[in-house]
Structure formats: structure tokens, C-alpha cells
Amino acid sequence: MTTTLITGANKGLGFETARRLVAAGHTVYVGARDPERGRRAAERLGARFVRLDVTDDASVDAAAKAIEADGGLDVLINNAGMETRTEDNSVPVAASVTADHMRTTFETNVFGVVRVLHAFLPLLERSPAPVVVNVSSGLASLTHLSDPEHPAHFYPGIAYPTSKTAVNMLTVQFAKAYPTMRINSVEPGFTKTDLNGNTGTQTVEEGAEIIVRMAQIGPDGPTGGYFDVNGRLPW
């Protein structure tokens, strides 16, 4: 039985990914900050709940101890993420972004990934086929954002794409440091979730496809890569 932890799994892409992996036979832990929402989601899914706030060391360490006591971990999906938005659902641009915007975004999207990796890598190292999926974004691609012919070029925000580019670098460096693990970044696509004020053009079912696919790769699968449903993406 494959045991999987998904951070930020009480709604959106995390919830749909959990649903699909439970159906595939995984034992899934729904990681969520809010105990009530997390437990409710886990009950609906037939999954297990673990309280996990990626911005809090004590919370992450306690989650790691709980999952270790239950038998360990095979797959880690770093899904929890946030994007700073204003009351009118716009994003801070170059002229308005502040250090606080950057710090808040990085605390969840980057430092949270490092915190969770640090806590769960010892468990993953005991698995016969450990996998890490870092949920990134197409907006992390420097190639696409610098190409005036690509739609991503016109996204004006600063904090979110910068944080996801940093996640891609974490993927590259951790994959090199842990060559027996399969560690990859994925781009779900512009999916309708609370993160973007439900302005996305894809369903969560569509967005979760690449996450679910990469969560199930075997020891001979790729590592240190950046993928969407159509294959590798340029950094």
C-alpha cells in the first residue's frame, strides 16, 4: 500500500488529487491547517486527516511524527500555496509589490516546501519507491514569461511567479541531492480555485491530472524535471 501526504488538501487541487489517489488505492493523508475543514474533507474522501500548517515548524514536525508512528510515507505532494491578491482580485505588480507581499508569499510557497521536505525526507528515505511532487506553475517558467509570443508573458504579478520559480530550483537541487527519489515540479494549468479568485479556465479535475500522474511514477521515472500534462516544460 502506497502512503501519500498532500499538503493543503482540504479543497481545490489538493482535494481532487486526494480523491483520485484514494481511488487508485493509496492511503492518503489530508494535510490542512484547519482541523474542522481537514477532518470533514478526509471523511468525504475516505482519507486520513493530519493537521499541518506549512508555515509552522511545530505543526509540521508533529505531522511527521504522527505519520511516522502510523507506518511511514512513500509520496509527498507539496500542494499548499497562496497568491497575494487585493480586494478587487488583482495582483500586486512591479509598481506596487512590497517586501511584505514577497515575504508572505514565500513563507507558504517556498519556505513551507523546505520545511515540509526537511521534516519528511527521513520518512521518504525508508520507502522503497519515494516520490515528491512539488506543485509549481506555468508562471514559474522564465522562458515563457520572457517570450512575448507566449500567453504567460502578459501576467503582471511579481510575488507568485517568483516564488514558484524558486520552487523549481528546489526541485532541481533536492533531486540532485537525493538521486534515489523521484522529485519533480508540475504545472497544473490555470485552474479555477480559491487561489486565483476562481478565475481559472480549467476544472480541478483537469488541473489535478499531472499531479496524480507524477505522484504515481516508479523508480525508473524522471526526476529533477518540470512537467505539465503534455510533457516537459522549459525552465
Side-chain angles (χ1 to χ4, degrees):
M1 179 75 76
T2 300
T3 301
T4 300
L5 166 65
I6 308 170
T7 65
N10 62 290
K11 62 180 181 178
L13 284 169
F15 183 90
E16 176 60 18
T17 299
R19 185 188 71 79
R20 299 265 292 273
L21 290 175
V22 167
H26 287 219
T27 297
V28 174
Y29 284 89
V30 169
R33 291 180 300 175
D34 185 302
E36 183 178 346
R37 292 178 181 175
R39 288 194 183 94
R40 188 162 58 241
E43 288 172 4
R44 287 176 58 194
L45 291 163
R48 302 179 183 183
F49 165 70
V50 63
R51 185 181 178 278
L52 196 159
D53 178 351
V54 301
T55 68
D56 181 73
D57 285 326
S59 167
V60 174
D61 289 344
K65 288 183 174 64
I67 292 175
E68 180 179 27
D70 278 348
L73 188 68
D74 303 295
V75 179
L76 169 63
I77 301 176
N78 285 308
N79 168 73
M82 60 88 63
E83 181 180 41
T84 303
R85 290 199 169 234
T86 61
E87 291 183 2
D88 64 355
N89 203 39
S90 62
V91 294
V93 298
S96 60
V97 70
T98 66
D100 283 341
H101 289 142
M102 299 294 291
R103 186 176 298 109
T104 299
T105 305
F106 267 62
E107 187 60 55
T108 294
N109 294 2
V110 182
F111 307 149
V113 171
V114 174
R115 186 175 285 112
V116 172
L117 282 169
H118 180 75
F120 285 95
L121 279 168
L123 277 67
L124 290 166
E125 286 185 292
R126 300 172 201 161
S127 168
V131 172
V132 177
V133 180
N134 293 326
V135 179
S136 181
S137 167
L139 296 173
S141 172
L142 298 177
T143 301
H144 285 167
L145 264 71
S146 60
D147 177 5
E149 300 299 320
H150 195 281
H153 176 76
F154 301 97
Y155 176 84
I158 306 295
Y160 183 76
T162 304
S163 73
K164 291 301 188 177
T165 302
V167 168
N168 282 357
M169 181 60 79
L170 292 176
T171 293
V172 170
Q173 296 297 79
F174 273 88
K176 290 192 296 184
Y178 293 90
T180 62
M181 297 187 190
R182 304 296 90 184
I183 303 176
N184 293 287
S185 285
V186 298
E187 140 68 332
F190 188 32
T191 304
K192 184 177 181 180
T193 66
D194 289 349
L195 181 140
N196 54 45
N198 292 297
T199 58
T201 55
Q202 289 189 152
T203 64
V204 289
E205 290 81 6
E206 293 170 313
E209 174 62 32
I210 187 59
I211 308 175
V212 172
R213 185 189 305 173
M214 297 307 288
Q216 298 182 90
I217 61 172
D220 59 345
T223 192
Y226 176 33
F227 300 89
D228 69 4
V229 290
N230 297 312
R232 284 188 181 267
L233 292 173
W235 298 113

